[in-house]
Structures are given as C-alpha cells and as structure tokens.
Amino acid sequence: MPQIEQSAGESFLAIPELAWLADGDNISAERHRTLIAAGACWVAADEEGRPAGFLSAGIEGDALHIWELDVRLDRQGQGFGRALLERAVADARRRGLAAVTLTTFRAVPWNAPFYRKFGFRILEGAEIDRRLASLLEDEVEHGMPSDQRCAMRLDLR
C-alpha cells in the first residue's frame, strides 16, 4: 500500500506548486495494518490480481472518515478510485453512519472535483466541526497550503 501511495503521489508532479507532495511522507505500514484491522480499508486489484489502489478510512463518531484514497499512477482514470469510493460509501450506509467525510485539495481535479461528482460538498465556516478543523490545522502544520485545503462531507441520511 505504501508503494501505491507513492506511485499515486507522482501525479502531483504535474502541479508545480504541489510537486513536493510526490516526495512526501506516506502512511506507514503499521498505520495501514491498524486501519485494516478496524475493518474500513478496501483494496482494488487489476485484472492480474495485483493491487491497483486502496481506500483507507476509519469510523469517527457517526461518520466514515476517508484518510487516503490512492490508485497507482499507471492505473488512474480506469475506474478504480470510483469503485473504491462507491464501496466505502455503501459500507458507511450499511453501518448506519450519518456521513462520509474527508479533507482534500479544493482545486486539484482528482481531489474535491472528483468527490463532488459523488455528492460530497465542501464545508465552509461553522459547518466544519472540531474534528475536521483539527485535521485541517494539522495538515497546515505539515506544510499543506491552507487556502487550497478543504473538508468535505457526503450526508447519508
């Protein structure tokens, strides 16, 4: 999974001001194991059975929070991300959760615009709860540009 995340990160090389993300820190294998054990992680395989992408999430209160959705660079644009997201949303509905949340880039085409196609909306001002605000603050502390980040939510009820 870290190799998939690294490969997916290379897509940021096409955006000069965010190219540094291609060399960013990936989620550790230990953190992946923790998320898998919690039962909110899915892997998509290609036609040869090789992992092509993954979605790692966690239950945070009444929401499924997506921590990471990555597809190998050579498999992007082939529906793997869409399938992973659809599976995660279906699982959140099955669990009776109120929403699916995440933080992402506002304008990067495979970030907020991608999620909007599925009904996610960008939260503004008072809509951003304490948990999501804290995540955004942590991202800024780790070098993310605050004006380009956002929290998103898909209401399930």
Side-chain angles (χ1 to χ4, degrees):
M1 291 170 80
Q3 291 135 340
I4 292 171
E5 184 178 359
Q6 183 64 43
S7 174
E10 291 174 14
S11 59
F12 283 100
L13 292 172
I15 304 171
E17 66 270 18
L18 298 176
W20 62 274
L21 290 169
D23 295 322
D25 293 333
N26 294 327
I27 297 173
S28 70
E30 180 179 319
R31 175 73 172 141
H32 280 297
R33 284 188 204 92
T34 300
L35 292 168
I36 291 166
C41 183
W42 297 270
V43 175
D46 65 17
E47 58 280 347
E48 295 176 14
R50 295 176 309 191
F54 70 89
L55 187 150
S56 291
I59 308 300
E60 302 289 335
D62 66 350
L64 178 74
H65 183 78
I66 297 173
W67 294 107
E68 193 74 30
L69 171 55
D70 287 317
V71 175
R72 273 189 353 236
L73 187 60
D74 66 327
R75 300 314 302 249
Q76 291 178 6
Q78 299 175 21
F80 290 102
R82 179 179 61 248
L84 287 163
L85 185 57
E86 288 172 350
R87 177 68 187 265
V89 170
D91 187 74
R93 287 185 197 283
R94 182 188 59 76
R95 294 175 191 251
L97 297 173
V100 179
T101 62
L102 57 95
T103 61
T104 194
F105 284 101
R106 288 179 181 271
V108 173
W110 59 91
N111 281 201
F114 169 79
Y115 292 107
R116 279 188 163 160
K117 294 176 189 175
F118 293 89
F120 283 78
R121 63 187 175 83
I122 293 177
L123 302 175
E124 302 289 355
E127 291 183 300
I128 303 172
D129 64 25
R130 189 173 305 152
R131 176 181 63 85
L132 291 170
S134 177
L135 291 174
L136 289 169
E137 289 169 11
D138 287 347
E139 292 172 357
V140 170
E141 287 178 20
H142 287 93
M144 299 283 191
S146 64
D147 62 328
Q148 294 182 36
R149 298 294 292 172
C150 67
M152 298 187 81
R153 178 182 175 101
L154 173 67
D155 292 308
L156 300 178
R157 295 184 182 156

